[in-house]
Amino acid sequence: MRFDVPKPRSIQRLPTTRSGYPVPVITPRGDMSETFTLAELPDTGLTVVCPCQDTGRPHKLGAMCHDLQRRTMRQHRCGVCGKHLDPRTGLVFIRSTPQTWDFIEPPLHPRCMAYSVQVCPMLARHAEQAEVLIARSMQLRERRVMAFPDGTRGVSQYFPLDAPQARYAGALDYLVATPVKPDIYPCPAWLEHHAPPLT
């Protein structure tokens, strides 16, 4: 972890791991393969639910709690600090391939992205080749797991958000965001010329 990157105020309030990494708000606790279950919910039908926040286990960095991911997306909150996103400053996504237009990771504030792409090992590893997308709005859809043909990996399909027919099609696991008409920058150029100061 780089300790020379200043923490924005919104990230300073997050809990940290023993090694000092800030814990994003969508981070589960413990091994998710042991915690998530399927439940029939009134609003969404068959849904993946994750009671991971109720355990005393350490945070699992790099994973996403299904419940926290969906709540963060629906409430238009930053996937790192959890505070409300302002469309005027932009909803920021990062991608490693130009073909990617659908995102399971919630968008971030510009300042949270500028910090994360320098500190998060997963993002920093690909930052030189990555692109930053900044949009003023996003379209949300439901990703529903339809089947597990090999017993381990599910086949998923996307549905409009809250579509009545979707609840009968499969289990809702995550929401998917598609940025609308984003501005696109190479990540290094965005960091150098467009990203807001961290403090």
Side-chain angles (χ1 to χ4, degrees):
M1 174 177 175
R2 289 183 56 185
F3 290 97
D4 60 328
V5 180
K7 282 186 186 179
R9 189 174 302 167
S10 57
I11 290 179
Q12 290 176 15
R13 67 181 184 83
L14 294 174
T16 58
T17 64
R18 275 185 258 178
S19 55
Y21 282 102
V23 178
V25 296
I26 58 172
T27 305
R29 288 182 176 273
D31 184 348
M32 288 180 57
S33 64
E34 298 175 4
T35 58
F36 80 83
T37 58
L38 293 176
E40 188 74 28
L41 300 182
D43 294 335
T44 54
L46 194 60
T47 303
V48 176
V49 295
C50 182
C52 66
Q53 298 302 310
D54 297 332
T55 76
R57 294 168 145 191
H59 288 95
K60 179 79 170 176
L61 290 181
M64 283 189 298
C65 167
H66 296 83
D67 296 330
L68 295 177
Q69 187 267 5
R70 294 191 300 261
R71 191 178 314 143
T72 300
M73 287 279 212
R74 278 187 180 273
Q75 296 177 355
H76 287 233
R77 296 185 177 275
C78 174
V80 168
C81 76
K83 292 193 171 184
H84 189 69
L85 291 164
D86 185 343
R88 294 170 296 181
T89 58
L91 319 175
V92 187
F93 301 84
I94 189 167
R95 66 183 182 187
S96 55
T97 62
Q99 294 78 26
T100 302
W101 288 101
D102 298 321
F103 296 86
I104 293 175
E105 295 82 6
L108 308 184
H109 292 113
R111 191 167 280 117
C112 291
M113 180 63 78
Y115 175 81
S116 298
V117 80
Q118 297 178 75
V119 173
C120 171
M122 293 170 60
L123 294 180
R125 187 179 310 130
H126 304 289
E128 286 296 318
Q129 293 79 37
E131 292 180 319
V132 171
L133 286 67
I134 303 181
R136 302 291 179 252
S137 63
M138 62 183 178
Q139 176 192 23
L140 289 180
R141 289 176 289 164
E142 298 180 3
R143 189 178 84 171
R144 295 210 171 237
V145 181
M146 315 295 289
F148 291 85
D150 66 357
T152 58
R153 295 189 58 185
V155 175
S156 299
Q157 187 173 341
Y158 296 169
F159 292 87
L161 187 65
D162 299 326
Q165 72 274 17
R167 62 183 297 126
Y168 305 108
L172 171 64
D173 64 349
Y174 291 116
L175 297 186
V176 177
T178 303
V180 176
K181 297 180 181 176
D183 297 323
I184 303 173
Y185 304 90
C187 184
W190 179 76
L191 274 175
E192 184 174 354
H193 303 293
H194 304 284
L198 294 179
T199 55

